[in-house]
Every structure is written in structure tokens, then in C-alpha cells.
């Protein structure tokens, strides 16, 4: 009799534990998240994810999947890096909180909310959410990425790099791994050393990770142009910058690529700035790009290393024109 009672008790405990077990997520949910994370800026992926969200709202009501997919879309593509517009930030917080209330063990909902807090500079809230996501699912690549972003934004460089590398290990697709290497490059890019040797090492290290990213995702227009921007600004390899800007422009006709292609071509003339053929070469760059140094300086706006170099080009051309005007 006692044995039967023990067996019945064990069976009851098993049934109760089964009731409280985490429900296996539908494959469509993971598919929607993956296609959003591999979205390259054009194509139908966002609409595809919306279609999946709407279907999951019918097939799995009150599980938080629909809200989480929409939160992923809004927090990734619509919310600025400064958490604007505030109305959208508040809406994302509302729908992720609703998803978490419906499904407290849905780790991806914490990730979307953490991203929103991070972009709104609510760092402690972001940390708590991403840590909860990792507690629920230590293998969730999106959580590892947000953890890395948290460390990057709090200037904990080596911890950020460590977590980006964790993300790269966890990510399934080459595009997402490429994104991890891209952000390692961006993390190192902000470091400035007074020691020229250390600064040179950091430039080489930054270039290494940009190249690793582009090896995995060579047809990423923004990845190519961002590397060109770095080479124009800090790498000072203007021939390579021209190649990467040209590749970006071949992939997609957009303003940033056009301008940095022109910048790379103008900056190659710095070595000829005191030579008689300098103005002629600058005219050739203008004819090939339809952009003058002054237009570029206006586009660049604030003072930075590229602006200073372009100002040098512009001032040299003005001085030559002035001399010609005064000549008898």
C-alpha cells in the first residue's frame, strides 16, 4: 500500500512539473527572429516577420510571440540609438512587458526590452533584463549581443569584446557572425592612445575585425562604407578606402558611399598638395564624383579628422585659384 502511495505521489509530482515546464517555442517564432537579425536593409524580411507574428497571434494566443516579434522590429529598426521617439520607446516597453506577463520564460522578450532600455540609456534596467534573458537561455545569441552592447556603452572594452565573441560562437548565420566582428571593430575604433605605437596597434586591430566581418559578409553595403569611413579617418589608407567605398556604391546607390568615394579620391591628393598638377588632379576627382571639397565639408558637418583633411585640400585649392586670379 505504501509503495502504491509513493508511486502515486511521484506521478502527481511529474504531472505538476509538466504543467509548469517551459513550452517549446514554435519554430516559426525562431524563424521570425532569425530573419529580422539577418535583414540587410532591403528585401521582404520585415514583412515576412510581421506575417509570422500575425499567424502566431492566431495559432498561439496569449503566449507573447506576436508582441515580441513586433518589439524586435521596432527596437531594432525604428528606435534611434538615443531612444527616440519617446512614444515608440514607451510602446515597445508596454508590449514587451505584456509579453513577459503572458509568458515569463520567453527570453527573447527580455532581449527586446533590454535593447530598448539600452538605447534609452537606462543602463541598469537593460542589465537586469539581459541577465534575466541569459538566465532563462544561456545560449540565446541575441542576449549575448545585448550583453556585449551593454559593456560597450559602459566603456568596458574587453568585456564587450568577450561577449561579442560569445555572440559569434552562438550565432547560426554567417551574416550575424559578420555583425559580431563588425561591432568588435566599432568597439576598438573609439579607443584613442597618446602613445603612437599603441594607437597604431589599435588601428591595425580595428582593421582586422572590419576585414573579418567583410570576409563573412562581403556584400554588405554599410559594412563596406563604414570600413571606408574608418580608413579615410584613422586608417589613412585612402586607396583601400576608395576600393571599399566603390564596392558599397556598386552594391547600393546611397549618399554615404558616394561621399566617401569622393573623400578617398581627394585624400589621395594630399601627397601632391604642393605639386603643380594638384589642381588638375582635384578637377579630375570632381569630374568623376560631381562633389567639390566644399560640398563634402558641408556634408561632414562637425570637426573631425576627415573634415580637417578636406579643409586642407579646400584651402590649398583656394590659394591656387587666388594666385591665378592675381597673376598678370
Amino acid at each position: 500500500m505504501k509503495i502504491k502511495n509513493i508511486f502515486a505521489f511521484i506521478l502527481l509530482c511529474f504531472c505538476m512539473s509538466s504543467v509548469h515546464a517551459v513550452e517549446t517555442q514554435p519554430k516559426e517564432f525562431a524563424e521570425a527572429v532569425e530573419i529580422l537579425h539577418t535583414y540587410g536593409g532591403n528585401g521582404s524580411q520585415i514583412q515576412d516577420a510581421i506575417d509570422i507574428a500575425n499567424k502566431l497571434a492566431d495559432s498561439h494566443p496569449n503566449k507573447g510571440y506576436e508582441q515580441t516579434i513586433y518589439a524586435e522590429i521596432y527596437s531594432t529598426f525604428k528606435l534611434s540609438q538615443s531612444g527616440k521617439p519617446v512614444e515608440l520607446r514607451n510602446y515597445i516597453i508596454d508590449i514587451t512587458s505584456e509579453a513577459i506577463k503572458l509568458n515569463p520564460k520567453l527570453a527573447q522578450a527580455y532581449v527586446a526590452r533590454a535593447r530598448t532600455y539600452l538605447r534609452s540609456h537606462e543602463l541598469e534596467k537593460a542589465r537586469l533584463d539581459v541577465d534575466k534573458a541569459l538566465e532563462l537561455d544561456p545560449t540565446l545569441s541575441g542576449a549575448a549581443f545585448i550583453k556585449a552592447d551593454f559593456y560597450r556603452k559602459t566603456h568596458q572594452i574587453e568585456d564587450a569584446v568577450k561577449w561579442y565573441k560569445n555572440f559569434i560562437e552562438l550565432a547560426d548565420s554567417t551574416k550575424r557572425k559578420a555583425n559580431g566582428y563588425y561591432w568588435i571593430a566599432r568597439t576598438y575604433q573609439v579607443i584613442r592612445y597618446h602613445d603612437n605605437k599603441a594607437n597604431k596597434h589599435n588601428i591595425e586591430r580595428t582593421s582586422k575585425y572590419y576585414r573579418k566581418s567583410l570576409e563573412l559578409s562581403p556584400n554588405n553595403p554599410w559594412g563596406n562604407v563604414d570600413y571606408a569611413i574608418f580608413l579615410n579617418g584613422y586608417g589613412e589608407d585612402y586607396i583601400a578606402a576608395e576600393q571599399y567605398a566603390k564596392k558599397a556604391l556598386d552594391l547600393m546607390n546611397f549618399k554615404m558611399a558616394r561621399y566617401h568615394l569622393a573623400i578617398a579620391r581627394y585624400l589621395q591628393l594630399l601627397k601632391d598638395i604642393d605639386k603643380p598638377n594638384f589642381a588638375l588632379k582635384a578637377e579630375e576627382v570632381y569630374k568623376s564624383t560631381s562633389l567639390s571639397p566644399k560640398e563634402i565639408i558641408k556634408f561632414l558637418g562637425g570637426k573631425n579628422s576627415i573634415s580637417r583633411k578636406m579643409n586642407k585640400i579646400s584651402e590649398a585649392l583656394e590659394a591656387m585659384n587666388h594666385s591665378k586670379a592675381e597673376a598678370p
Side-chain angles (χ1 to χ4, degrees), residues 22 59 89 92 111 128 142 144 153 205 223-224 234 299 304:
V22 180
S59 63
R89 174 261 179 213
I92 299 168
V111 171
L128 290 171
K153 291 198 173 187
R205 182 169 59 176
N224 277 280
Y234 300 104
F299 169 75
N304 56 43

Side-chain angles (χ1 to χ4, degrees), residues 40-60:
N42 50 25
S44 64
Q45 287 97 318
I46 290 180
Q47 186 57 53
D48 293 342
I50 290 171
D51 292 342
I52 292 172
N54 294 337
K55 288 176 183 176
L56 288 172
D58 294 329
S59 63
H60 294 73

Side-chain angles (χ1 to χ4, degrees), residues 6 33 122 124 139 145 149-150 177 182 195 242 253 280:
I6 291 169
V33 173
E122 298 173 82
E124 182 59 16
T139 67
F145 187 88
D149 260 7
F150 169 81
K177 290 178 186 293
Y182 169 85
D195 179 349
E242 179 182 2
N253 188 352
L280 182 61

Side-chain angles (χ1 to χ4, degrees), residues 29 49-50 52-58 60-72 95 98-99 106:
F29 176 71
I50 290 171
I52 292 172
N54 294 337
K55 288 176 183 176
L56 288 172
D58 294 329
H60 294 73
N62 301 321
K63 291 294 183 181
Y65 299 132
E66 176 194 19
Q67 294 91 332
T68 301
I69 292 170
Y70 274 102
E72 280 291 313
I95 61 175
E98 180 185 355
L106 184 55

Side-chain angles (χ1 to χ4, degrees), residues 4-14:
K4 288 182 179 179
N5 289 339
I6 291 169
F7 178 77
F9 177 75
I10 292 171
L11 183 61
L12 177 63
C13 289
F14 175 79

Side-chain angles (χ1 to χ4, degrees), residues 78-134:
K78 303 295 184 183
L79 192 69
S80 76
Q81 292 295 330
S82 58
K84 302 290 175 63
V86 174
E87 295 79 10
L88 181 59
R89 174 261 179 213
N90 294 340
Y91 179 68
I92 299 168
I93 297 300
D94 286 344
I95 61 175
T96 47
S97 298
E98 180 185 355
I100 290 166
K101 186 176 179 181
L102 291 168
N103 192 347
K105 296 189 177 181
L106 184 55
Q108 194 66 48
Y110 291 96
V111 171
R113 193 167 71 176
R115 183 186 298 111
T116 305
Y117 282 137
L118 198 57
R119 292 194 181 188
S120 305
H121 306 291
E122 298 173 82
L123 299 177
E124 182 59 16
K125 289 180 179 179
R127 185 189 68 79
L128 290 171
D129 268 355
V130 74
D131 285 350
K132 181 63 178 178
L134 287 165

